[in-house]
Amino acid sequence: MSGTSDWLDEDEDRVWNAFFEMQVLFWPRMARRLQQETGLSEPDFAILSALVRAPDAQLRPFELSGVTQFEKSRLHHHLTRMVGRGLLTRERCPDSSRGAMIALTPEGRDAITEAYPRRAAHIRQLLIEPLDAGRIDALTRISEALADHLRAEDVTLDDGRPAGAEG
Amino acid sequence: MSGTSDWLDEDEDRVWNAFFEMQVLFWPRMARRLQQETGLSEPDFAILSALVRAPDAQLRPFELSGVTQFEKSRLHHHLTRMVGRGLLTRERCPDSSRGAMIALTPEGRDAITEAYPRRAAHIRQLLIEPLDAGRIDALTRISEALADHLRAEDVTLDDGRPAGAEG
DNA sequence: AGGAAGGGGTTGACACGTCATCCCCAGCAC
DNA sequence: GTGCTGGGGATGACGTGTCAACCCCTTCCT
């Protein structure tokens, strides 16, 4: 079992520091490059790429929320800004009188089309090329294992907490 | 060489998706737990823990900026709010007439002292316990390698870009 | 029919982050 | 001295994210 003291032991602290610092370095660089080369922020990119993959390039807000994991209010605010910038349109949903329908404008389609290859280049340059094939594979498996665990956590917390946590 | 097409190939896409989704799941959960259990945000925690480790529990803003990697203006705004909440004090720097000095209040010290063991528990629960020893070790090395690479990128970009990037 | 419950969407207030700009003071050239 | 430069710091405007309501429509219960 890992420690019972107030902070992490040496090995634990080392992963945590490395993991934390890697992210602090990684994400701002990805976001800055995207912003400077395409004028899109990370949430812009997430929303546009969900839409461009959808049938007819349109989705309901709650569907977008499912794909991007943005809370509905955050999503609503962000969509409002993007409509203002001419990347999207928001209209009343044609069928089922309630609800809205978000669609890509030609400008929005151009923006995401230009952004895709640049994004791919950033990913290769900052994540993939610095690692050899073995490490890429290890990172894939570790990330998938963590993601599975994190999704399971949420369910667990509703019923009661798992045994084993002290306190 | 990895691809020349507009997007990633299959293996590349798989790491990227796994890595991306893991983070999207991980960080909001860490932040929410910290916030709910201690009333501190991630930046609050970063600033308080830098201060509590400093001699006399005080630092100049530019030193804090070095530790946390926050831009000076973001840091200034955040410190202003934290002073308003009674966690910190901001005074004129005693020596060298220019500049400010940020110090922990008793409330600030209490807050970070209570937060430390909770933070450690979150890290164990969400990052460490789901992985076995081998994966912890692999994640440490991969994160350190990526962090080193990312730090080196910045320097490279000042002089000219590295050879090998197409375009 | 009347009304509770719930999903989808909207709003406004406020916390947070970024950018551009500005101020102040030390150190140095002249 | 005067003026330039640069680091440390402050400010205001604006874009972004979160929280807590709230509205509307549908569904289901009675």
Side-chain angles (χ1 to χ4, degrees):
Chain A
M1 277 297 122
S2 35
T4 51
S5 66
D6 276 1
W7 190 237
L8 305 171
D9 69 30
E10 195 181 325
D11 283 352
E12 291 171 337
D13 192 57
R14 188 172 164 206
V15 222
W16 174 247
N17 281 128
F19 183 72
F20 185 87
E21 188 158 5
M22 180 265 285
Q23 323 249 9
V24 166
L25 294 168
F26 184 81
W27 291 105
R29 279 166 178 72
M30 286 292 287
R32 283 185 67 80
R33 292 188 186 204
L34 189 66
Q35 176 84 355
Q36 290 177 345
E37 294 180 20
T38 71
L40 300 176
S41 67
E42 292 284 334
D44 293 339
F45 185 88
I47 289 169
L48 292 177
S49 64
L51 279 171
V52 83
R53 273 194 276 265
D56 302 319
Q58 51 179 26
L59 287 173
R60 301 278 301 275
F62 79 95
E63 296 172 307
L64 268 172
S65 174
V67 178
T68 60
Q69 298 284 308
F70 297 168
E71 283 170 309
K72 61 183 179 177
S73 138
R74 172 185 177 184
L75 180 62
H76 180 86
H77 284 136
H78 205 87
L79 292 175
T80 301
R81 289 176 220 124
M82 291 177 77
V83 169
R85 289 157 61 201
L87 297 168
L88 305 176
T89 58
R90 174 156 42 196
E91 290 160 20
R92 290 234 140 281
C93 185
D95 46 71
S96 86
S97 56
R98 61 166 172 205
M101 179 63 79
I102 304 298
L104 224 46
T105 62
E107 295 75 29
R109 184 177 291 278
D110 288 350
I112 188 64
T113 304
E114 305 239 323
Y116 257 113
R118 295 173 178 279
R119 182 68 160 185
H122 303 159
I123 294 169
R124 291 204 181 97
Q125 191 177 358
L126 298 185
L127 181 71
I128 294 176
E129 289 174 2
L131 300 174
D132 61 32
R135 282 180 165 175
I136 289 290
D137 187 60
L139 181 58
T140 305
R141 291 170 195 283
I142 290 167
S143 297
E144 288 173 349
L146 278 174
D148 288 347
H149 185 84
L150 290 162
R151 272 185 290 263
E153 277 286 324
D154 276 356
V155 182
T156 313
L157 290 177
D158 290 339
D159 303 328
R161 29 191 160 154
E166 83 289 10
Chain B
M1 274 299 127
S2 33
T4 50
S5 66
D6 276 2
W7 188 237
L8 306 171
D9 69 29
E10 193 181 325
D11 282 353
E12 290 171 338
D13 192 57
R14 188 173 165 205
V15 221
W16 173 248
N17 281 130
F19 184 71
F20 185 85
E21 187 159 6
M22 180 266 285
Q23 322 251 7
V24 165
L25 293 169
F26 184 82
W27 291 106
R29 280 166 178 72
M30 285 292 287
R32 282 186 67 81
R33 292 187 186 204
L34 189 65
Q35 177 81 12
Q36 289 178 345
E37 294 180 19
T38 71
L40 300 176
S41 67
E42 292 284 334
D44 292 339
F45 185 87
I47 289 168
L48 291 176
S49 65
L51 279 170
V52 83
R53 273 194 277 265
D56 302 321
Q58 50 179 28
L59 287 172
R60 302 278 300 274
F62 78 95
E63 296 174 307
L64 268 172
S65 173
V67 177
T68 59
Q69 298 285 307
F70 297 167
E71 284 171 307
K72 62 184 180 177
S73 141
R74 171 185 177 185
L75 180 62
H76 180 84
H77 285 136
H78 204 87
L79 292 174
T80 301
R81 290 175 218 122
M82 291 178 76
V83 169
R85 288 157 61 201
L87 297 169
L88 307 176
T89 58
R90 175 155 44 196
E91 291 162 18
R92 292 233 138 280
C93 184
D95 47 72
S96 85
S97 54
R98 60 166 172 201
M101 180 63 80
I102 304 299
L104 225 47
T105 62
E107 294 76 29
R109 184 177 292 278
D110 288 351
I112 188 64
T113 304
E114 304 239 324
Y116 256 112
R118 294 173 179 278
R119 181 71 160 182
H122 302 159
I123 294 169
R124 290 203 182 99
Q125 192 178 357
L126 298 185
L127 181 72
I128 295 177
E129 288 174 2
L131 301 174
D132 61 32
R135 284 181 162 174
I136 289 290
D137 188 59
L139 182 58
T140 305
R141 292 172 196 281
I142 290 167
S143 297
E144 288 173 350
L146 279 173
D148 288 347
H149 185 84
L150 291 161
R151 272 184 290 262
E153 276 287 324
D154 278 354
V155 182
T156 313
L157 291 177
D158 290 340
D159 303 328
R161 42 197 147 149
E166 84 291 8

